[in-house]
């Protein structure tokens, strides 16, 4: 349970990044329902309509921000951000909320500690929002013109903070509770996650059924094996009991898997094995302020935009035990009629994994992709 004293102290210290810039577009500036980007043709005149038509906006002047999740962390992240306004204060508040020096861990490691779920989730969250501060300093128009955001797993919290839905420090506390609960759930059973790239004929759900039957023959009670991440066409992450993942790797050829790779995570995230983590997260989300996003933010659970405060609280909890539908989310964000132009996309935070998935899902959208680096000064292509 969140301690009242901690909440009060955190709130008094920082409302930073709840709105990165004060003139960020609100719901009336390209952030309306799906399809109201302003990228469609000029609205037709309607003499019978009493509503004022919104002026047409060139979609190529609009922006989308994508926030990475666990697995993107690396020792040294944050080094390229410290000279930007607010970043040191953000890490100072993080130290107060978390109870340890997150900045030192990000900069110096040790890597083994940074890789732990309890550390890497807050590290990715803070580093990603610190990268927003860099972006706001170097390219403020990209912030001002942002119409949508999405985050992968824990990255959803960063997207919600950026959208004005949550306070930075309170969201960080929720991330802390979430990471600790997921770590604890992971330690209860031997489990993991397996990255899979399959051939067109691969049947992922059927492969999971076969893996669970194998586990039952081994005596595993209530085995779990399911798709945890939908990344791109024929790109999946499957999670579950260790024995199930071993079966998938050993039978990859028969299952039409071209490549399998175990992920360096502590457990089977986004499966029913995370059920034990849901109540702690639900409790902390009850106690922090959540507001309706000022721009479109998309949920990992179903790829659809968040509608209100209760929807956010519900979906963030459900996300723990549901697959991340990232491919579906990208389709929602970039769906448009043939010939309509795409917005600029920025991956804000450590790593370029989300750019890689965007390339596989939508090459035209990826043509306007950039990455905001967290480790060094910008180079060519950044």
């Amino acid at each position: 349970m969140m301690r009242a004293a901690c909440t009060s102290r955190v709130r008094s210290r920082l409302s930073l990044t709840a709105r990165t810039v004060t003139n960020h577009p609100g719901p009336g500036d390209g952030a309306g329902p799906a399809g109201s980007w302003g990228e469609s043709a000029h609205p037709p005149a309607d003499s019978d309509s009493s509503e004022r038509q919104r002026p047409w906006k060139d979609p190529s002047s609009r922006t989308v921000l994508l926030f990475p999740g666990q697995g993107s962390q690396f020792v040294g992240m944050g080094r390229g951000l410290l000279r930007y306004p607010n970043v040191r204060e953000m890490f100072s508040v993080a130290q107060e909320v978390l109870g340890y020096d997150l900045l030192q861990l990000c900069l110096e490691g040790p890597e083994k500690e940074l890789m732990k779920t309890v550390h890497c989730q807050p590290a990715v969250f803070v580093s990603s929002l610190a990268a927003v501060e860099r972006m706001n300093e170097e390219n403020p128009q990209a912030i001002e013109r942002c119409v949508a955001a999405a985050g992968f797993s824990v990255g959803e919290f960063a997207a919600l903070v950026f959208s004005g839905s949550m306070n930075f420090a309170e969201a960080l506390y929720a991330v802390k509770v979430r990471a600790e609960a997921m770590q604890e759930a992971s330690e209860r059973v031997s489990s993991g996650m397996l990255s899979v790239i399959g051939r067109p004929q691969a049947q992922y759900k059927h492969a999971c059924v076969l893996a669970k039957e194998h586990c039952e023959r081994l005596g595993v009670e209530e085995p779990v094996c399911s798709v945890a991440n939908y990344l791109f066409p024929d790109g999946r992450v499957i999670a579950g009991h260790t024995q199930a993942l071993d079966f998938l790797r050993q039978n990859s050829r028969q299952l039409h898997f071209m490549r399998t790779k175990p992920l360096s995570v502590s457990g089977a995230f986004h499966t029913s094995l995370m059920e034990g983590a849901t109540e702690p997260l639900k409790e902390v989300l009850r106690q922090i302020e959540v507001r309706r996003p000022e721009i479109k933010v998309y949920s990992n659970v179903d790829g659809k935009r968040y509608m209100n405060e209760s929807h956010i609280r519900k979906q963030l909890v459900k996300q723990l035990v549901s697959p991340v539908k990232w491919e579906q989310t990208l389709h929602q964000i970039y769906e448009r009629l043939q010939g309509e132009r795409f917005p600029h996309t920025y991956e804000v935070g450590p790593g370029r994994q989300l750019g890689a998935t965007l390339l596989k899902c939508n090459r035209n959208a990826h043509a306007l992709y950039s990455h905001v680096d967290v480790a060094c000064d910008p180079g060519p292509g950044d």
Side-chain angles (χ1 to χ4, degrees), residues 230-244:
Y230 292 85
L231 301 176
F232 50 84
D234 296 318
R236 304 284 189 272
V237 172
I238 296 176
H241 282 87
T242 301
Q243 298 93 325

Side-chain angles (χ1 to χ4, degrees), residues 22-194:
T22 56
N23 58 343
H24 194 86
D29 189 12
S36 62
W37 293 73
E39 71 270 54
S40 59
H42 294 267
D46 184 354
S47 58
D48 296 327
S49 175
S50 61
E51 294 185 3
R52 180 182 299 174
Q53 295 287 356
R54 218 180 264 169
W56 180 84
K57 291 186 175 73
D58 181 356
S60 63
S61 70
R62 306 288 90 186
T63 64
V64 172
L65 266 59
L66 304 180
F67 293 87
Q70 182 171 347
S72 61
Q73 72 277 357
F74 59 90
V75 174
M77 67 181 188
R79 194 177 307 281
L81 305 175
L82 297 177
R83 63 186 177 90
Y84 295 95
N86 300 323
V87 171
R88 287 189 181 274
E89 186 180 3
M90 293 171 72
F91 277 104
S92 176
V93 171
Q95 182 168 354
E96 189 169 352
V97 173
L98 300 172
Y100 59 87
D101 191 340
L102 181 68
L103 178 59
Q104 182 178 8
L105 183 61
C106 287
L107 296 179
E108 302 177 12
E111 184 178 17
K112 184 177 180 180
E113 288 299 310
L114 182 60
M115 294 295 287
K116 290 181 178 178
T117 296
V118 292
H119 295 146
C120 71
Q121 289 191 18
V124 170
F125 170 85
V126 175
S127 296
S128 295
L129 288 171
V132 171
E133 297 296 328
R134 174 182 191 160
M135 189 176 178
N136 188 44
E137 184 74 8
E138 297 180 345
N139 189 6
Q141 285 192 333
I143 297 290
E144 294 165 12
R145 294 172 176 174
C146 182
V147 293
F152 194 100
S153 192
V154 72
E156 236 176 45
F157 285 84
L160 287 165
V161 169
F162 174 75
S163 75
S165 180
M166 291 181 177
N167 166 275
F168 168 79
E170 291 185 341
L172 176 57
Y173 191 88
V175 168
K176 175 181 184 289
V177 171
R178 178 186 190 268
E180 291 171 348
M182 291 174 71
Q183 181 73 48
E184 185 177 341
S186 297
E187 293 170 356
R188 294 181 186 141
V189 62
S190 178
S191 60
M193 304 183 79
L194 185 70

Side-chain angles (χ1 to χ4, degrees), residues 69-73 115-117 120 152-153 186 190-197 226-232 235-240 242 245-246 249 259-271 324 353 357:
Q70 182 171 347
S72 61
Q73 72 277 357
M115 294 295 287
K116 290 181 178 178
T117 296
C120 71
F152 194 100
S153 192
S186 297
S190 178
S191 60
M193 304 183 79
L194 185 70
S195 174
V196 174
I197 296 179
S226 60
V227 175
N229 302 162
Y230 292 85
L231 301 176
F232 50 84
R236 304 284 189 272
V237 172
I238 296 176
T242 301
L245 303 185
D246 290 342
R249 295 185 70 194
R259 194 190 77 182
T260 60
K261 180 183 178 182
L263 301 184
S264 298
V265 295
S266 59
F269 303 150
H270 306 292
T271 72
V324 173
Q353 292 93 327
T357 60

Side-chain angles (χ1 to χ4, degrees), residues 115-380:
M115 294 295 287
K116 290 181 178 178
T117 296
V118 292
H119 295 146
C120 71
Q121 289 191 18
V124 170
F125 170 85
V126 175
S127 296
S128 295
L129 288 171
V132 171
E133 297 296 328
R134 174 182 191 160
M135 189 176 178
N136 188 44
E137 184 74 8
E138 297 180 345
N139 189 6
Q141 285 192 333
I143 297 290
E144 294 165 12
R145 294 172 176 174
C146 182
V147 293
F152 194 100
S153 192
V154 72
E156 236 176 45
F157 285 84
L160 287 165
V161 169
F162 174 75
S163 75
S165 180
M166 291 181 177
N167 166 275
F168 168 79
E170 291 185 341
L172 176 57
Y173 191 88
V175 168
K176 175 181 184 289
V177 171
R178 178 186 190 268
E180 291 171 348
M182 291 174 71
Q183 181 73 48
E184 185 177 341
S186 297
E187 293 170 356
R188 294 181 186 141
V189 62
S190 178
S191 60
M193 304 183 79
L194 185 70
S195 174
V196 174
I197 296 179
R199 301 183 187 281
Q201 63 267 42
Q203 298 181 9
Y204 304 97
K205 291 183 179 180
H206 180 63
C208 291
V209 169
L210 296 177
K212 286 190 287 187
E213 291 174 351
H214 170 75
C215 288
E216 289 172 347
R217 291 193 292 271
L218 295 179
V220 177
E221 296 183 5
E222 299 181 4
V224 171
C225 183
S226 60
V227 175
N229 302 162
Y230 292 85
L231 301 176
F232 50 84
D234 296 318
R236 304 284 189 272
V237 172
I238 296 176
H241 282 87
T242 301
Q243 298 93 325
L245 303 185
D246 290 342
F247 172 86
L248 295 179
R249 295 185 70 194
Q250 293 164 6
N251 295 275
S252 60
R253 178 170 294 185
Q254 299 93 305
L255 297 171
H256 305 292
F257 295 166
M258 290 191 295
R259 194 190 77 182
T260 60
K261 180 183 178 182
L263 301 184
S264 298
V265 295
S266 59
F269 303 150
H270 306 292
T271 72
S272 59
L273 290 176
M274 289 293 110
E275 187 64 41
T278 58
E279 193 57 40
L281 180 59
K282 184 184 298 183
E283 179 64 23
V284 75
L285 288 174
R286 286 194 193 107
Q287 299 180 55
I288 68 174
E289 184 180 4
V290 179
R291 299 172 293 277
R292 187 177 186 273
E294 295 178 27
I295 59 173
K296 291 186 285 189
V297 179
Y298 293 83
S299 168
N300 287 177
V301 173
D302 55 13
K304 298 179 181 178
R305 64 178 299 204
Y306 283 115
M307 301 308 297
N308 53 48
E309 298 87 340
S310 61
H311 188 214
I312 291 169
R313 289 187 171 98
K314 178 182 177 181
Q315 294 292 80
L316 286 177
V317 173
K318 191 174 180 180
Q319 186 219 68
L320 290 177
V321 293
S322 303
V324 173
K325 294 186 176 178
W326 190 250
E327 180 183 352
Q328 294 87 332
T329 297
L330 294 181
H331 288 321
Q332 284 282 335
I333 293 174
Y334 299 103
E335 183 179 13
R336 61 233 314 108
L337 297 175
Q338 187 174 359
E340 291 179 348
R341 286 184 278 184
F342 289 87
H344 286 265
T345 297
Y346 295 88
E347 182 170 357
V348 188
R352 298 172 183 258
Q353 292 93 327
L354 300 185
T357 60
L358 179 58
L359 176 62
K360 293 179 182 295
C361 289
N362 193 320
R363 285 184 173 272
N364 291 328
H366 184 269
L368 295 173
Y369 162 88
S370 300
H371 176 242
V372 182
D373 199 7
V374 300
C376 60
D377 290 330

